[in-house]
Amino acid sequence: MRGVVYDGKQVQVVHDLEVRDPGPGEVLVRVAAAGLCHSDLAVIDGTIPFPAPVVLGHEGAGVVEAVGPGVTHVGPGDHVALSTLANCGACPDCDRGRPTMCRKAIGMPKQPFSRSGSGAPLYQFASNSSFAERTVVKAVQAVRIPSDIPLTSAALMGCGVLTGVGAVLNRAKVDRGESVVVIGTGGIGLNVLQGARIAGALTIVAVDTNPAKEETARRFGATHFLNSAESVRDILPTGADHVFECVGHVGLVRQAIDLLDRHGQAILLGMTAPTAEASFPPAAMFLDKSILGCRYGSSRPQKDIALYAELYREGRLLLDELVTATYPVEEFARATEDAEQGKVARGVLTF
């Protein structure tokens, strides 16, 4: 089968991948579509350290082909969105409804893939590897969705939507009438914008250096669009209740903190290099300001994806509009180039 493999030096689309059958508590999914997220590119450029060779992809949707013993919530033929969160479901954090904090959900990559002929194992990225025609995931990662949701759109719920909308609703807990600033309007930033709109924020300021992104930002919920964070105070003189940094640049982290009003929150979503450091004046924090990290939208995928699916069906959550372009998996290089040049909100690979 086809898949996108990074061997530690280069990326290639191969045609000789194999994946093992599902074991107890696992699901085999035929992937229909997978979003190209900057986290995949971060593995290639080294921002996210990950062992190689690895099958990339972590934002996908498809159809269940088979289930292992003990799996009852999905069955063959069901449409599913794939979560990257392979939480155990039994530890204290999972029991408290915080699956993103599960210590078994990260740092222990498995090797369910191999290449025909050599039999050499390949790692699975983010417990997912949706850039393959078929993948095996833990049952908790396969979330059943209505079959009337296009799989090219449903794929984005597994990462971009969970991370962006979840950061607003679950982590920041934005309330009606509050003010929100979103720095960076890529795939995550757009979902933060629509999360703020769904939450009922009154003033939603999008900041991006690319003026071509204004129309899309406003469609997703921005009430204002600026090319520089330095102009935010013209709209919010006392600062914002919530500022989301969605780029992963330490200078923008400082700006996010500087833009806060009293009792404001800076929520950090952009992925910086592991050794990068940001600075800020601690004295400013005594006005009840907060800096919040946020992993995967502080989400509960089985619950949240089901909610977002219904919001989509009601017309309140935009998914189709996120998909700027689709690419056959063989055109991975072109999809990557478009993403790096900021030409797409989300490019989606199809099989």
Side-chain angles (χ1 to χ4, degrees), residues 272-283:
T272 62
T275 58
E277 296 183 0
S279 63
F280 65 94

Side-chain angles (χ1 to χ4, degrees), residues 14-330:
V14 303
H15 293 75
D16 60 351
L17 268 186
E18 295 180 348
V19 66
R20 63 170 173 77
D21 293 332
E26 293 181 333
V27 178
L28 175 66
V29 177
R30 175 167 50 84
V31 178
L36 176 57
C37 175
H38 281 283
S39 293
D40 298 297
L41 305 181
V43 173
I44 299 170
D45 68 22
T47 301
I48 297 179
F50 205 88
V54 56
V55 181
L56 296 175
H58 66 285
E59 185 181 72
V63 180
V64 175
E65 282 204 343
V67 300
V71 178
T72 58
H73 76 289
V74 294
D78 284 342
H79 286 209
V80 292
L82 299 178
S83 159
T84 70
L85 194 64
N87 61 294
C88 72
C91 69
D93 282 306
C94 286
D95 190 54
R96 295 174 66 182
R98 303 188 307 194
T100 58
M101 296 296 104
C102 176
R103 286 173 169 80
K104 296 183 180 180
I106 194 169
M108 294 174 282
K110 296 183 178 180
Q111 297 173 299
F113 297 97
S114 61
R115 301 282 294 272
S116 351
S118 71
L122 291 86
Y123 286 100
Q124 184 174 40
F125 179 52
S127 303
N128 189 308
S129 289
S130 57
F131 292 171
E133 287 188 74
R134 289 173 178 79
T135 190
V136 169
V137 298
K138 290 183 66 172
V140 71
Q141 296 176 256
V143 184
R144 185 167 57 189
I145 57 174
S147 59
D148 59 353
I149 300 180
L151 290 172
T152 49
S153 299
L156 306 186
M157 288 195 288
C159 178
V161 176
L162 275 179
T163 299
V165 178
V168 174
L169 302 183
N170 300 328
R171 186 65 169 128
K173 300 186 185 301
V174 173
D175 203 356
R176 295 182 301 275
E178 292 188 323
S179 57
V180 171
V181 174
V182 181
I183 302 175
T185 61
I188 300 300
L190 289 176
N191 280 296
V192 173
L193 289 172
Q194 68 172 334
R197 169 177 51 78
I198 291 168
L202 184 62
T203 304
I204 306 173
V205 182
V207 180
D208 200 293
T209 57
N210 185 351
K213 293 186 175 183
E214 179 173 0
E215 181 180 353
T216 302
R218 289 186 179 275
R219 183 186 308 156
F220 276 76
T223 58
H224 301 75
F225 184 91
L226 301 173
N227 295 130
S228 170
E230 295 175 358
S231 302
V232 169
R233 292 279 181 173
D234 295 337
I235 300 166
L236 299 168
T238 63
D241 296 312
H242 310 274
V243 182
F244 294 81
E245 199 283 334
C246 304
V247 178
H249 186 284
V250 293
L252 296 177
V253 170
R254 171 62 184 267
Q255 279 195 318
I257 296 168
D258 289 344
L259 289 172
L260 294 177
D261 196 355
R262 299 183 178 198
H263 204 71
Q265 299 181 140
I267 301 90
L268 309 185
L269 299 180
M271 178 64 69
T272 62
T275 58
E277 296 183 0
S279 63
F280 65 94
M285 308 308 292
F286 289 100
L287 292 172
D288 281 2
K289 299 179 183 182
S290 304
I291 302 171
L292 304 181
C294 183
R295 182 181 178 203
Y296 203 38
S298 301
S299 60
R300 296 153 295 174
Q302 287 287 338
K303 178 180 184 295
D304 291 350
I305 288 178
L307 168 63
Y308 299 156
E310 288 307 309
L311 290 175
Y312 166 80
R313 297 173 87 189
E314 293 175 4
R316 297 169 62 190
L317 181 80
L318 305 181
L319 291 179
D320 304 338
E321 294 82 355
L322 283 169
V323 183
T324 311
T326 59
Y327 310 82
V329 68
E330 289 82 1

